[in-house]
């Protein structure tokens, strides 16, 4: 009888220790975000913005990964892009202050041309294809530009799950995140370099 009690206590202790161990998916996700930090992509998990399709393909539902690249030498107009059929689509509802239609018609001259210039800058990524690795591209849901940062919203947790990315390999993380960073830098150049 004492042996059975000792086995039960041992099983209980072992079960408790196993429950504390993180899952394989959690360890993969942690590795992904640590590499993203090292590449200066500033990963965060945020509530899905209302203009992005989140959980169950519904706008603003669930949590989503936000990876932002800060570029101190650049200035962007506040702009939202959704990803539709593998391309960036300018979101119709722009943030306040950047939509020319929402500004007072009494503003003329330099201020008016400045607003028009901002709108032209915002439209530069319209129709831009997602040139990202195949395991990453379908998970990207939106791009947001503001001040000196370019933000990509994507389901990073789906990237590391066997069900949604069966070909996942740990050694692919860094090259694929580097490809994401390069694409973000190319978008930033496209927005800021034309018509200078």
């Amino acid at each position: 009888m004492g042996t059975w009690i000792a086995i039960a206590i041992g099983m209980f202790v072992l079960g408790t220790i196993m429950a504390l161990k993180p899952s394989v998916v959690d360890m993969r996700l942690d590795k992904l975000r640590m590499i993203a930090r090292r590449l200066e992509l500033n990963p965060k998990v945020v509530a899905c913005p209302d203009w992005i399709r989140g959980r169950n393909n519904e706008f603003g539902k669930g949590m989503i990964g936000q990876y932002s690249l800060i570029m101190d030498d650049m200035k962007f107009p506040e702009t939202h892009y959704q990803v539709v059929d593998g391309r960036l689509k300018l979101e119709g509802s722009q943030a306040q202050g950047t939509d020319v239609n929402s500004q007072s018609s009494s503003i003329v001259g330099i201020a008016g041309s400045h607003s028009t210039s901002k709108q032209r800058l915002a439209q530069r990524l319209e129709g831009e294809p997602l040139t990202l690795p195949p395991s990453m591209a379908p998970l990207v849901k939106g791009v947001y530009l503001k001040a000196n940062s370019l933000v990509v919203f994507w389901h990073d947790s789906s990237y590391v799950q066997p069900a949604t990315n069966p070909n996942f390999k740990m050694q692919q993380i860094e090259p694929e995140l580097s490809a994401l960073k390069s694409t973000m830098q190319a978008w930033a150049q496209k927005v800021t370099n034309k018509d200078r």
Side-chain angles (χ1 to χ4, degrees):
M1 182 73 173
T3 306
W4 289 111
I5 292 173
I7 290 173
I9 291 172
M11 294 295 282
F12 177 75
V13 170
L14 184 62
T16 304
I17 291 171
M18 293 302 287
L20 294 174
K21 184 180 177 194
S23 70
V24 172
V25 171
D26 289 339
M27 290 189 299
R28 288 176 172 183
L29 191 55
D30 183 53
K31 174 108 172 149
L32 174 74
R33 291 177 180 159
M34 291 303 289
I35 292 172
R37 278 187 193 90
R38 190 164 34 86
L39 293 173
E40 298 177 345
L41 288 174
N42 306 309
K44 280 199 260 184
V45 178
V46 297
C48 190
D50 58 3
W51 55 275
I52 291 181
R53 292 185 183 274
R55 186 181 61 227
N56 299 328
N57 214 22
E58 294 180 47
F59 286 102
K61 297 291 183 186
M63 303 296 281
I64 195 163
Q66 170 186 299
Y67 286 48
S68 59
L69 185 60
I70 297 171
M71 292 165 262
D72 293 324
D73 57 337
M74 295 186 182
K75 184 84 171 142
F76 305 112
E78 189 168 357
T79 314
H80 302 147
Y81 296 92
Q82 281 188 10
V83 176
V84 178
D85 297 327
R87 295 188 173 272
L88 298 182
K89 179 182 178 274
L90 189 63
E91 178 62 27
S93 59
Q94 295 296 308
Q96 290 182 351
T98 61
D99 186 359
V100 174
N101 297 328
S102 69
Q103 299 197 5
S104 168
S105 59
S106 63
I107 299 175
V108 291
I110 295 171
S113 66
H114 180 66
S115 298
T116 305
S117 173
K118 278 182 144 184
Q119 186 180 35
R120 274 198 319 260
L121 286 173
Q123 293 172 343
R124 289 199 176 142
L125 295 181
E126 176 72 27
E128 190 72 19
L130 284 181
T131 52
L132 295 171
S135 57
M136 188 178 279
L139 304 173
V140 175
K141 298 300 178 184
V143 174
Y144 175 55
L145 287 85
K146 181 180 180 185
N148 65 344
S149 62
L150 192 148
V151 178
V152 169
F153 292 98
W154 71 302
H155 295 291
D156 60 348
S157 58
S158 296
Y159 174 78
V160 297
Q161 291 179 3
T164 51
N165 188 3
N167 299 322
F168 175 83
K169 292 185 176 75
M170 288 290 243
Q171 58 269 26
Q172 290 178 324
I173 293 175
E174 189 158 358
E176 292 188 352
L177 283 177
S178 293
L180 174 63
K181 183 176 180 177
S182 297
T183 299
M184 292 169 77
Q185 289 169 331
W187 289 338
Q189 291 298 323
K190 186 164 186 170
V191 169
T192 57
N193 277 354
K194 288 185 182 176
D195 298 335
R196 272 194 168 179

